[in-house]
Amino acid sequence: MNKENLIKQYKAIYKKSPTHIIQTPGRINLIGEHTDYNDGFVLPIAIDRYTNMLASKNDDGKVRLYDLKYKENDEFNLDNFEPSQQKKWSNYQRGIAKVLLDAGYKIGGMDVLIFSEVPEGAGLSSSASIEIAILLSFKELYNLDIKPIEMIELARKAENDFVGVKCGIMDQFASLLSKEDNALFIDCRTLDFQYIPLSIQGYSFLVCNSMIKRKLAESSYNQRRQECREAVKILQKHLPEITVLRDVSINDFEKYKLYLPEELKRRVEHVVYENERVKQAVEVLKKGNLEAFGELMYQSHKSLKELYEVSIEELDLLVEIGMNEPGVLGARLTGAGFGGCVIYLVEDSSIEHLKEKNLDVYHRKIGLIPQFYKVVPSRGAYVWLNGNR
Ligand code: GLA
């Protein structure tokens, strides 16, 4: 939907014009999966699918929300509010208000219209894009002096503590700070980041949605986090200086893996080698070596499937189709797994053929019709309209 249309909708609902329009993207992760909460490395890009948020102040201390996708409204009073049981979608907005108030920021009411183009439940971080959008709306409307890294940490806190999803820091980071034509290389311990220019002329990232909503995603995700903590405890007996899996080198792992039960050994092996793959990915991408990068994508998927065990048959099939398709350099699941999307790095001239093949094989074997989104590495959050300036 274009800007004019959104503004028209806003006026129809609130009988006034918005002073601000914020756009915040979803993301795909190119490589580095289940490493962020182990303080490791990740390499996401923002995608050109955005949450649009139109807002203006009100002076009655209420946050009024209208979500165009759900065609539903909600409101809460900043003086006194709880998580909503009926309209769970508004808990992202409520959570952000809560963390800002708890941190001592002075915020007031606003009238907000939300229209998100980021597919939901597909592992493309629609929730992080909403969190960053509402945070940025408060920041802009109430002139909050708040630095990007603090915004990212607060958004993650809202999701962890208020919404109740124990995610890592990657998604909020990518939605806020990504840059066009670049990947974002994040050290999730220090929160230092670097932009890695992507020279992918003639190739694209094609996202394929398996149409399987992430099953058991939360419980299995939390279980993996717990397994990583348990593994650290065991390894600490031999490596007393470690606090998270990020601290375990490949050498350490190979030397001490015999002390780990089989399942935990697989989990640690994934994390330790995946961190290494992210660093290698950065090097090969800097050299423009897309073949080598594609190979790392395949290795990452194999590891997520066999060692971290977060893939499902449908995602494996989509990756396998890519492997047998000329023009595809790499494929892997992106995000938490258990459903959601696979990404392909594919030559532009092969995209249509890959899609046809996918539609045919996936539909025949799984009975579902996958969806495709060709995405470009995009900029992070930005203020599209600022009526105060
Ligand atoms: C989800 C979480 C991220 C990250 C990925 C797995 O997307 O929100 O923080 O842990 O899973 O890499």
Side-chain angles (χ1 to χ4, degrees):
M1 202 178 299
N2 65 27
K3 208 196 247 177
E4 282 65 41
N5 233 321
L6 285 169
I7 294 177
K8 214 163 106 192
Q9 301 263 8
Y10 187 95
K11 284 184 179 162
I13 296 166
Y14 292 114
K15 318 288 176 231
K16 60 177 178 178
S17 296
T19 55
H20 289 73
I21 306 182
I22 311 283
Q23 281 202 316
T24 52
R27 65 99 190 90
I28 55 174
N29 187 18
L30 298 186
I31 197 160
E33 222 63 86
H34 291 275
T35 44
D36 61 353
Y37 55 81
N38 287 302
D39 280 3
F41 303 101
V42 292
L43 192 68
I45 60 169
I47 57 174
D48 49 334
R49 300 291 187 285
Y50 296 91
T51 290
N52 300 280
M53 199 167 274
L54 290 74
S56 69
K57 277 187 189 176
N58 66 44
D59 47 24
D60 48 16
K62 279 188 180 159
V63 176
R64 293 198 187 82
L65 305 167
Y66 188 91
D67 192 304
L68 270 183
K69 208 160 53 182
Y70 304 115
K71 299 208 170 20
E72 254 185 28
N73 68 328
D74 193 22
E75 64 174 52
F76 57 94
N77 200 319
L78 285 169
D79 286 340
N80 182 17
F81 62 95
E82 299 285 327
S84 169
Q85 298 307 325
Q86 292 80 37
K87 297 183 178 169
K88 290 209 170 356
W89 59 266
S90 82
N91 285 335
Y92 299 105
Q93 290 85 340
R94 289 164 182 256
I96 294 296
K98 173 86 166 71
V99 292
L100 284 172
L101 290 168
D102 286 354
Y105 287 104
K106 300 261 174 300
I107 55 173
M110 17 183 226
D111 298 322
V112 180
L113 175 69
I114 305 145
F115 176 64
S116 186
E117 302 156 347
V118 185
E120 238 176 85
L124 301 177
S125 293
S126 56
S127 30
S129 74
I130 300 264
E131 288 153 11
I132 294 295
I134 191 88
L135 221 168
L136 207 48
S137 303
F138 277 123
K139 175 183 184 311
E140 292 292 313
L141 266 65
Y142 287 95
N143 295 317
L144 307 182
D145 181 15
I146 175 168
K147 302 275 172 303
I149 295 292
E150 195 194 349
M151 286 176 70
I152 292 164
E153 286 179 320
L154 287 175
R156 199 241 314 226
K157 192 170 171 13
E159 180 141 357
N160 285 180
D161 301 348
F162 197 89
V163 180
V165 176
K166 303 286 174 212
C167 61
I169 197 111
M170 165 170 69
D171 308 341
Q172 292 79 7
F173 220 118
S175 186
L176 186 64
L177 289 177
S178 292
K179 192 163 126 185
E180 237 168 331
D181 299 327
N182 282 262
L184 189 60
F185 175 39
I186 310 167
D187 179 333
C188 299
R189 164 168 281 163
T190 61
L191 304 187
D192 288 338
F193 60 96
Q194 255 180 61
Y195 293 111
I196 309 298
L198 291 170
S199 320
I200 55 169
Q201 291 77 11
Y203 288 82
S204 293
F205 290 109
L206 181 72
V207 178
C208 178
N209 187 344
S210 67
M211 303 310 281
I212 309 276
K213 288 245 175 181
R214 292 169 301 158
K215 283 180 267 184
L216 294 177
E218 272 161 45
S219 53
S220 308
Y221 184 87
N222 290 343
Q223 190 189 337
R224 293 294 177 280
R225 293 189 68 137
Q226 179 55 26
E227 287 164 355
C228 291
R229 282 193 291 267
E230 268 170 52
V232 168
K233 267 197 210 138
I234 298 174
L235 289 171
Q236 272 171 338
K237 294 186 195 130
H238 311 278
L239 297 161
E241 67 287 357
I242 68 166
T243 55
V244 274
L245 288 183
R246 150 70 177 272
D247 299 321
V248 181
S249 67
I250 290 181
N251 279 343
D252 287 342
F253 169 71
E254 294 299 338
K255 195 161 161 199
Y256 296 110
K257 65 181 180 188
L258 72 161
Y259 298 107
L260 291 166
E262 278 309 313
E263 195 174 66
L264 294 189
K265 194 195 296 179
R266 292 199 294 277
R267 307 295 187 250
V268 180
E269 183 172 348
H270 166 74
V271 174
V272 167
Y273 282 90
E274 183 79 350
N275 274 329
E276 193 52 36
R277 276 189 286 273
V278 180
K279 290 189 260 175
Q280 285 173 15
V282 167
E283 291 316 308
V284 298
L285 283 173
K286 279 182 180 164
K287 292 186 191 126
N289 186 348
L290 296 185
E291 281 77 12
F293 178 65
E295 192 43 47
L296 290 166
M297 290 173 76
Y298 283 130
Q299 285 173 20
S300 170
H301 185 82
K302 188 167 189 288
S303 178
L304 288 160
K305 173 186 171 192
E306 293 172 6
L307 301 175
Y308 217 66
E309 297 176 280
V310 292
S311 188
I312 52 171
E313 172 199 352
E314 291 84 350
L315 297 175
D316 296 339
L317 175 64
L318 291 172
V319 169
E320 205 182 296
I321 296 170
M323 274 179 176
N324 296 322
E325 203 45 33
V328 175
L329 296 184
R332 60 184 289 279
L333 73 83
T334 191
F338 313 107
C341 295
V342 156
I343 50 171
Y344 299 101
L345 176 56
V346 52
E347 206 170 358
D348 286 335
S349 55
S350 303
I351 289 182
E352 285 316 310
H353 193 256
L354 172 64
K355 282 187 182 172
E356 278 164 30
K357 190 67 182 285
N358 246 333
L359 282 171
D360 174 37
V361 178
Y362 193 75
H363 185 242
R364 216 165 2 93
K365 294 202 172 162
I366 310 289
L368 290 172
I369 300 179
Q371 273 184 7
F372 300 96
Y373 325 104
K374 188 179 156 191
V375 297
V376 292
S378 301
R379 63 175 158 182
Y382 67 102
V383 183
W384 203 16
L385 167 78
N386 186 337
N388 289 347
R389 283 182 196 144

